[in-house]
Amino acid sequence: MKQIYTKTGDQGTTSLRGGARVPKDDIRIEVNGQLDHLNACLGMARSMMGKDDADRLLLHRVQQELMVVMSHIATPEQDVNPRQLHTAEMTSLMEQAIDAAATPTGFVIPGDGGTLSACLHLARTQARTVERRLWTLHRRHPVDESILVMLNRLSDYLFILALKNENR
């Protein structure tokens, strides 16, 4: 098995795509850390869903796209990332799922609807955190605006999905 640690980050720096070293608290690293957290939240929620659940399959596609987004965030502005974004397609798919669901009313207290619903609410709040950090990044290092739109829509989708999966 390949050695997992490199010791290259022991002095507070890490690498962007292509090898450029930046401080570990660089906004690009912060955003990718928040995206990684979101992806883990989505994975936890997805693991509780039925194997053939259409939303489980869509969440898996979203997770894959988040990995592409992370690659783009870690690519210095002067470099070209060969991985193609499908964020606009993901946004459209989530909008279709939202439109197909019942419109929610009233306030929701996460946890009242069961474990899966609570996990989806946790993912929703993490998506909001990612979105806020992405806007900070965008002001310093512009990102493809379809990424910003997708993260905004993802939190809406996760809200609807949490309601849809209450008491499951």
Side-chain angles (χ1 to χ4, degrees), residues 11 24 27 32 67 96 137:
Q11 300 304 310
K24 286 192 177 191
I27 186 63
N32 271 349
M67 298 299 288
Q96 291 171 26
L137 171 66

Side-chain angles (χ1 to χ4, degrees), residues 87-108:
T87 47
E89 177 187 351
M90 290 296 104
T91 299
S92 179
L93 291 171
M94 288 185 289
E95 287 174 347
Q96 291 171 26
I98 292 166
D99 292 344
T103 304
T105 58
F107 291 99
V108 175

Side-chain angles (χ1 to χ4, degrees), residues 1 8 11 39 42 50-51 53 75 87 90 101 103 118 127 131 133 146 153 163-164:
M1 182 172 161
T8 57
Q11 300 304 310
N39 212 344
L42 292 175
K51 297 273 186 220
D53 188 321
T75 302
T87 47
M90 290 296 104
T103 304
E131 183 184 12
R133 301 309 292 146
S146 70
R153 208 66 75 249
L163 294 180
K164 182 177 173 182

Side-chain angles (χ1 to χ4, degrees), residues 35-55:
L35 281 162
D36 191 28
H37 184 177
L38 173 59
N39 212 344
C41 291
L42 292 175
M44 183 170 33
R46 195 172 56 83
S47 73
M48 296 179 199
M49 301 169 88
K51 297 273 186 220
D52 296 325
D53 188 321
D55 290 306

Side-chain angles (χ1 to χ4, degrees), residues 73-130:
I73 299 301
T75 302
E77 293 171 49
Q78 68 274 10
D79 294 350
V80 175
N81 187 311
R83 297 187 71 188
Q84 184 176 357
L85 287 169
H86 297 284
T87 47
E89 177 187 351
M90 290 296 104
T91 299
S92 179
L93 291 171
M94 288 185 289
E95 287 174 347
Q96 291 171 26
I98 292 166
D99 292 344
T103 304
T105 58
F107 291 99
V108 175
I109 297 176
D112 284 355
T115 305
L116 174 55
S117 178
C119 285
L120 290 162
H121 279 297
L122 181 62
R124 172 187 56 81
T125 62
Q126 182 59 28
R128 290 281 189 220
T129 299
V130 170

Side-chain angles (χ1 to χ4, degrees), residues 3-73:
Q3 191 173 7
I4 191 79
Y5 58 89
T6 63
K7 299 184 182 182
T8 57
D10 291 352
Q11 300 304 310
T13 64
T14 192
S15 295
L16 293 177
R17 192 172 180 281
R21 302 293 295 179
V22 296
K24 286 192 177 191
D25 61 353
D26 183 279
I27 186 63
R28 294 165 290 195
I29 304 308
E30 170 65 20
V31 168
N32 271 349
Q34 295 295 332
L35 281 162
D36 191 28
H37 184 177
L38 173 59
N39 212 344
C41 291
L42 292 175
M44 183 170 33
R46 195 172 56 83
S47 73
M48 296 179 199
M49 301 169 88
K51 297 273 186 220
D52 296 325
D53 188 321
D55 290 306
R56 181 181 195 270
L57 299 174
L58 179 53
L59 282 180
H60 188 258
R61 291 184 67 186
V62 168
Q63 285 184 279
Q64 291 173 319
E65 188 62 15
L66 289 176
M67 298 299 288
V68 175
V69 168
M70 289 174 71
S71 172
H72 279 263
I73 299 301

